[in-house]
Amino acid sequence: MRKMKDSGIEWIGEIPEYWECTQFKTLLSRNDGGVWGNDPTDTDVDKIVIRSTEQTIDGKWCINNPAKRDLTTENIKDYRIVKNDLLMTKSSGSLDHIGKTSIADEYFTKNECYYSNFIQRLRCYENKYFPKYAWFILNSTIARKQFAYLQNSTSGLGNINSGIINQIKVPLPPLPDQQRIANFLDEKVSQIDSTISKTRESIEEYKKLKQAIITEAVTKGLNPNAKMKNSGIEWIGEIPEEWECFYLSQIFTPVKNKNIGLLENNLLSLSYGKIIRKNIETTFGLLPENFEGYNIIQENDIVLRLTDLQNDHKSLRVGIAKEKGIITSAYLTLRNQTNKIAKYFYYLLHSFDIAKGFYGMGAGVRQGLNWNEVRSLRMIAPKDISEQQQIADYLDQKCSEIDNLITKKEQLVVELEAYKKSLIYEVVTGKREV
């Protein structure tokens, strides 16, 4: 066990006795802001200029459609990226993004790349700091905590600059230790990232399975031997022969029951396709001065969020209430007016939502829908109410089983991310010997 000493820096803690801590400026031969240049000429003289949006949150690259700009001769001389340059996001509205750092590889020299004015280029002295070790340091909690503390904000936009970058304190092991640490972490972090990636792929497969089970049950029923007929509805196709077709307005009516006098204070919200409780006392997020304009809804009401269809193609827009409460009147709330099973129709509308059916119905700048535009939406259901209930119960069980598996997978991702962060911190500060 090697001897340790106090680094004198709270967020670094103890380091090996023969290591040092230093300000980052002592290790840098370059610490330069970038350039955006002029509008492209659409000729061969235009150069690739890398943007901060092409850096991922974990310090990797995602360059699909690089920007090309017209740069001056002086720009070309001063701002060209070379292999092992460190490129840092220095301005963002999110603390998670400020200071995120990526390392230049062969792509940048092969394609003659430059960097924009929202990026800071850092170049280490070769005989002092190993670039990949510096990359691990800059993307670790050691540097990110300092950036969060030192960054200055203008109108909610956080900024760091060359002076702030120069100030941060970093561990300084001997070069052979730096290279050994970087090689070790390259291997270990790659293994962890591979497991995280496979786990996330598994989560997506479970989600697809869940959607397939829902769609199959609400459009084909639970009897695989049932005789089928054409529904006449494009996204549904064939349905069991004993099922019937009708319009949404034949089952549901819109609810407009304002919370006048603040009769209800159980605040509800549609989130990821589920209606959840929210703290009515919270100061987080956009909330009204009072909730008299909110709709009072009850158990089994179906809520549709049919705004911003043009810009948001990812949200789940259908939910079903499990309790009485209030929800924004910007959503369309529907109440069952028949003896049919609301939960079955929730699953059917959810399936329509997953098929992106609402997106083709919108009109206007924001592509919002109202009741008159969705009331003629074609619905299907078994004639037998007990069969509707059977399908709803079956899907409740299946979805619960799959959701539990997804939750476990998501928790594994959280644990792996935390382990990765901890491992990097322990190794780059010498607390764990490699």
Side-chain angles (χ1 to χ4, degrees):
M1 184 86 177
R2 57 187 172 184
K3 291 184 177 180
M4 306 291 286
K5 67 179 180 183
D6 185 2
S7 68
I9 302 166
E10 181 182 352
W11 46 82
I12 294 178
E14 287 192 331
I15 57 174
E17 193 173 47
Y18 63 96
W19 288 24
E20 298 176 27
C21 277
T22 186
Q23 285 191 313
F24 203 33
K25 66 181 179 181
T26 65
L27 308 172
L28 296 175
S29 63
R30 299 295 297 264
N31 182 355
D32 309 309
V35 64
W36 188 229
N38 302 309
D39 290 341
T41 64
D42 296 324
T43 68
D44 291 341
V45 303
D46 293 335
K47 306 297 183 185
I48 292 175
V49 178
I50 300 299
R51 298 158 290 185
S52 61
T53 53
E54 288 161 328
Q55 295 177 274
T56 65
I57 193 69
D58 56 352
K60 304 291 178 61
W61 293 107
C62 184
I63 305 172
N64 296 318
N65 186 27
K68 290 197 171 185
R69 305 288 293 173
D70 179 28
L71 302 181
T72 66
T73 303
E74 189 176 79
N75 292 159
I76 290 171
K77 176 184 175 184
D78 291 340
Y79 298 103
R80 184 167 180 175
I81 300 170
V82 302
K83 185 179 178 182
N84 289 328
D85 277 351
L86 298 161
L87 299 157
M88 178 184 292
T89 293
K90 63 180 183 179
S91 184
S92 174
S94 167
L95 283 177
D96 290 335
H97 289 262
I98 294 174
K100 67 178 178 181
T101 304
S102 306
I103 192 166
D105 55 22
E106 291 83 358
Y107 173 91
F108 296 86
T109 50
K110 179 182 177 182
N111 292 284
E112 189 183 339
C113 297
Y114 300 81
Y115 57 103
S116 75
N117 45 4
F118 280 94
I119 290 179
Q120 195 77 2
R121 186 263 305 276
L122 311 173
R123 187 174 294 167
C124 300
Y125 288 116
E126 291 183 4
N127 63 342
K128 286 189 176 182
Y129 227 44
F130 189 63
K132 196 58 183 287
Y133 175 78
W135 180 82
F136 278 113
I137 288 285
L138 291 170
N139 287 303
S140 74
T141 54
I142 293 169
R144 301 310 289 271
K145 283 184 178 180
Q146 295 180 71
F147 290 139
Y149 177 75
L150 294 170
Q151 63 95 18
N152 52 70
S153 177
T154 56
S155 302
L157 190 67
N159 298 281
I160 55 176
N161 53 38
S162 58
I164 289 173
I165 294 167
N166 280 336
Q167 286 181 58
I168 69 166
K169 299 287 184 68
V170 295
L172 179 60
L175 268 175
D177 285 25
Q178 294 176 33
Q179 185 157 3
R180 185 169 62 253
I181 287 169
N183 291 342
F184 171 83
L185 287 175
D186 258 347
E187 181 181 353
K188 293 299 181 183
V189 169
S190 177
Q191 292 171 357
I192 296 169
D193 284 344
S194 176
T195 303
I196 290 172
S197 178
K198 289 176 182 176
T199 304
R200 285 180 171 149
E201 288 174 6
S202 176
I203 290 170
E204 292 307 310
E205 289 302 315
Y206 276 126
K207 288 179 179 178
K208 289 177 183 177
L209 173 62
K210 176 182 171 182
Q211 306 314 333
I213 288 172
I214 292 172
T215 299
E216 180 72 14
V218 296
T219 62
K220 305 295 184 269
L222 303 180
N223 178 9
N225 300 316
K227 290 183 178 180
M228 308 298 282
K229 67 180 180 182
N230 187 359
S231 68
I233 304 171
E234 184 178 352
W235 76 275
I236 291 176
E238 289 191 329
I239 59 174
E241 199 172 59
E242 299 300 318
W243 288 25
E244 57 186 350
C245 299
F246 32 77
Y247 296 110
L248 184 66
S249 60
Q250 292 177 272
I251 313 159
F252 294 97
T253 188
V255 175
K256 294 182 179 179
N257 184 16
K258 297 296 178 67
N259 190 31
I260 304 298
L262 302 177
L263 299 175
E264 290 290 336
N265 62 5
N266 182 26
L267 181 60
L268 303 174
S269 177
L270 179 59
S271 176
Y272 300 102
K274 295 181 179 179
I275 296 179
I276 60 172
R277 285 186 180 182
K278 288 188 72 175
N279 179 7
I280 200 167
E281 304 294 335
T282 186
T283 57
F284 181 79
L286 296 174
L287 291 174
E289 291 184 9
N290 68 66
F291 295 90
E292 289 196 336
Y294 272 44
N295 261 343
I296 299 175
I297 65 174
Q298 63 188 31
E299 184 179 359
N300 286 326
D301 282 351
I302 290 177
V303 174
L304 307 179
R305 186 173 77 82
L306 301 177
T307 57
D308 204 20
L309 292 168
Q310 184 179 38
N311 300 315
D312 178 5
H313 285 206
K314 294 183 178 180
S315 294
L316 295 177
R317 298 178 171 275
V318 182
I320 186 167
K322 296 180 179 179
E323 58 186 330
K324 188 176 183 180
I326 55 172
I327 200 162
T328 175
S329 55
Y331 298 163
L332 177 62
T333 299
L334 304 180
R335 185 164 295 162
N336 185 7
Q337 299 298 310
T338 69
N339 64 343
K340 297 183 186 297
I341 306 303
K343 194 63 171 291
Y344 164 84
F345 289 98
Y346 156 72
Y347 280 120
L348 181 63
L349 286 166
H350 172 80
S351 185
F352 181 71
D353 184 22
I354 292 299
K356 303 303 178 188
F358 291 114
Y359 296 95
M361 300 176 66
V365 176
R366 298 184 69 238
Q367 287 197 349
L369 294 170
N370 58 40
W371 170 241
N372 285 332
E373 291 168 306
V374 297
R375 63 180 298 149
S376 297
L377 187 63
R378 299 291 302 280
M379 296 279 99
I380 59 166
K383 290 181 182 178
D384 188 345
I385 303 300
S386 64
E387 187 178 355
Q388 295 176 25
Q389 186 66 61
Q390 184 183 10
I391 291 172
D393 291 343
Y394 167 80
L395 289 176
D396 279 348
Q397 178 187 344
K398 286 295 182 181
C399 290
S400 177
E401 291 171 359
I402 295 173
D403 285 344
N404 286 337
L405 291 171
I406 289 173
T407 298
K408 289 178 182 178
K409 295 277 186 179
E410 289 173 337
Q411 182 59 35
L412 176 59
V413 170
V414 170
E415 291 170 0
L416 286 169
E417 292 283 11
Y419 170 67
K420 180 173 72 171
K421 186 182 292 186
S422 174
L423 175 67
I424 291 171
Y425 172 78
E426 293 285 325
V427 173
V428 297
T429 58
K431 295 175 180 59
R432 174 170 171 174
E433 189 171 2
V434 297

